[in-house]
Amino acid sequence: MQGKKEYQEKLFNNFQLSVRVPEHNFYRRLKGVLQLEFLYQETKGYYGSSGQKSIDPVVFFKLCLVGYLENITSDRKLIEHCSMRLDILYFLGYDIDEELPWHSTISRTRGLFPESVFEAVFGRVFELCVSAGMVSGHTQAIDSAPVKANASMDSLELKVPEADLDSHLRKIRHISKRDKDQPLRQAKGNKADIDQQTLSASAKELQAIKSRNSKWAKEQDQRPGAGNKGSRYTSNKTHYSPTDPDARISVKPGKARKLNYQSQLTVDTAHHVISDIKAYHADGKDNQQLADIVVRVQRRLCRSGLVWENCVADTGYSSGENYAFLEGRNLKSFIPAHGTYKGCPDGFTYNETQDYYVCSQGKIIPFKKVFYETKNHTKKKEYRASKKVCIDCPIRRECLGKSAQEKKFTVTYYRAEYERNIGRVNSPQGRYMKAKRQSTVEPVFGTLTQFMGLRKVNTIGIKQANKCMQLSAIAYNLKKYLKFIEKHSKSGAASLQTHFCMYKGIIGLVISPRKHLDFRW
């Protein structure tokens, strides 16, 4: 007999979320392992003692984590999504007839709590992964990626010199076809301070930018379909974003120029657990951030009782200062050197014990002084021979050129550190570390940007962007943790390990008085 379902709402219902949400549900299992009660004490100082009660800090963090777990970056859409999911309501501690917090409360609370609170939550989740045996600590892979800022390139403003604005506009700004055809887009408000609005580039840098403007516009306007748009070249030296002054213009090969933040990510190679993440300005170089990253990660691993041995990164982190810094902290670097590095000029050999070079004709080029290069402020060593050494050389013209009287060249001060690092990189272990980095940190970045809400930050300012990156990393680690403990609980590996440790301890107690026995495990 054919059935027909007719819906009629009941006046009274006996409904329990705890009964309806299955035991194996992700959010039910997450609710059982995620303990955030410490946040009440952590955030107590940021609330007043009177007035209307605000959102529960535990509920706030759980809502934020749901957003990144579900790849939802809009607070409004997040509340709408949570209200339709029974398992998420159970995770948040809300019943079906309770109203969720207003979406604007999430953004206000995110701005209320400092970065230290988000870092504390990240630390607790990281400790959870350490206690489960997911983190080895000895090898950490570091990489960076741009994350789009919540600002438009169309609203960029020119930096203003301290004097003679009209002269600056005539001299520097390239008015493209797009600017002539339609007015520039204006930001609603200017959040940049005076220093960010003031032009700080030198005359030489401005001249170089002016040349690039002309070349850029000429090349872009000749592209098919670009005749009506035109193009303009923008630089961090001449432009800033009034919407988000902390955002910086950056570009990757084959990609469009955008306002971005730089996300620096550190991943443990054992089970791909994120050990650190932080937002930096996108116009900074990777090798400038390495020291700050290493200090922070080493401190976190030390608190967990783990020893860091190997630092793995790509060529962007290469510099002599970084190699020396890592060696000073007892870390072995596996960072390929830049292609521009040369230990010495071609045809020269180095005497390490007496610190001099020998040319192809057997002449000694002695060390003269240590100095800092003006342009990049890098530490270098100068080697220079006297005029009488080179005056009768048969290859003088080929070696010195037309005007030079003696052989002179500079070498990086950190040549020894470079050579030791290159030796490690080219070793079998170095090739293994390269493959390990490519299979560890790069897929993690892809997961965060494509599936964990880090394609674009929905906040303004570098501090707020750092909070978004912390939350995305927390959500990723929690997902890894739940998958890990579920896999081990099904295989029984965890209980087997516990019984083995107990058995080993009992045997050790039994044989410990008999010191002549050598019982090895």
Side-chain angles (χ1 to χ4, degrees), residues 167-442:
S167 173
H168 166 69
L169 292 175
R170 288 194 301 270
K171 186 176 180 180
I172 299 301
R173 189 175 184 190
H174 176 80
I175 304 298
S176 67
K177 294 180 181 179
R178 179 178 63 181
D179 297 338
K180 293 176 182 178
D181 295 339
Q182 60 185 20
L184 289 173
R185 179 178 174 181
Q186 296 288 330
K188 292 181 180 179
N190 196 332
K191 299 179 181 179
D193 54 30
I194 299 299
D195 292 337
Q196 290 169 316
Q197 298 181 45
T198 303
L199 186 71
S200 58
S202 63
K204 186 176 180 180
E205 290 173 328
L206 292 177
Q207 183 61 39
I209 293 172
K210 182 180 179 181
S211 301
R212 287 199 298 269
N213 282 347
S214 301
K215 182 180 178 182
W216 177 271
K218 183 178 180 180
E219 291 176 352
Q220 294 298 310
D221 286 344
Q222 290 176 354
R223 289 187 300 113
N228 296 328
K229 296 187 297 183
S231 181
R232 57 177 180 173
Y233 185 88
T234 51
S235 168
N236 289 307
K237 295 183 182 297
T238 57
H239 292 77
Y240 73 96
S241 171
T243 307
D244 188 355
D246 289 334
R248 297 288 188 270
I249 303 167
S250 68
V251 62
K252 291 188 71 175
K255 302 289 184 180
R257 301 172 70 84
K258 292 181 181 179
L259 285 165
N260 295 321
Y261 285 102
Q262 187 186 57
S263 176
Q264 292 284 356
L265 181 71
T266 307
V267 180
D268 185 86
T269 57
H271 291 279
H272 300 192
V273 174
I274 298 174
S275 53
D276 186 74
I277 190 169
K278 190 174 181 181
Y280 291 88
H281 293 298
D283 57 347
K285 296 181 179 179
D286 288 341
N287 57 19
Q288 296 172 338
Q289 323 295 354
L290 184 65
D292 182 48
I293 297 167
V294 168
V295 171
R296 195 168 53 249
V297 174
Q298 204 165 33
R299 189 187 303 122
R300 178 173 290 119
L301 293 174
C302 185
R303 284 198 299 264
S304 302
L306 302 172
V307 179
W308 185 9
E309 297 178 6
N310 305 318
C311 179
V312 189
D314 59 20
T315 310
Y317 297 87
S318 170
S319 74
E321 292 83 354
N322 285 343
Y323 296 146
F325 173 78
L326 291 172
E327 288 187 5
R329 300 187 75 91
N330 298 319
L331 295 174
K332 290 190 291 185
S333 60
F334 292 88
I335 305 174
H338 282 291
T340 56
Y341 167 75
K342 286 186 177 181
C344 62
D346 295 335
F348 284 63
T349 57
Y350 180 63
N351 187 310
E352 189 173 356
T353 57
Q354 300 182 17
D355 194 14
Y356 64 78
Y357 284 88
V358 180
C359 71
S360 59
Q361 300 300 310
K363 305 295 184 181
I364 294 177
I365 316 297
F367 163 72
K368 288 297 181 181
K369 65 178 181 179
V370 175
F371 69 99
Y372 284 92
E373 193 179 45
T374 306
K375 183 178 180 181
N376 299 322
H377 200 67
T378 55
K379 198 173 183 180
K380 294 204 169 185
K381 298 172 74 174
E382 181 182 293
Y383 295 83
R384 185 173 71 249
S386 62
K387 182 178 178 181
K388 63 181 181 180
V389 171
C390 299
I391 194 168
D392 296 327
C393 182
I395 59 169
R396 177 183 175 182
R397 187 172 183 84
E398 292 83 357
C399 183
L400 301 181
K402 295 180 179 180
S403 58
Q405 299 296 315
E406 71 276 343
K407 184 64 177 178
K408 182 178 72 172
F409 57 86
T410 60
V411 176
T412 175
Y413 181 81
Y414 303 99
R415 181 186 180 279
E417 287 81 357
Y418 263 103
E419 293 299 327
R420 285 192 291 269
N421 174 79
I422 291 173
R424 285 190 296 268
V425 169
N426 293 333
S427 67
Q429 186 185 12
R431 292 190 289 271
Y432 169 79
M433 289 295 180
K434 179 182 178 181
K436 198 71 173 174
R437 177 186 63 81
Q438 293 173 338
S439 64
T440 299
V441 67
E442 293 177 6

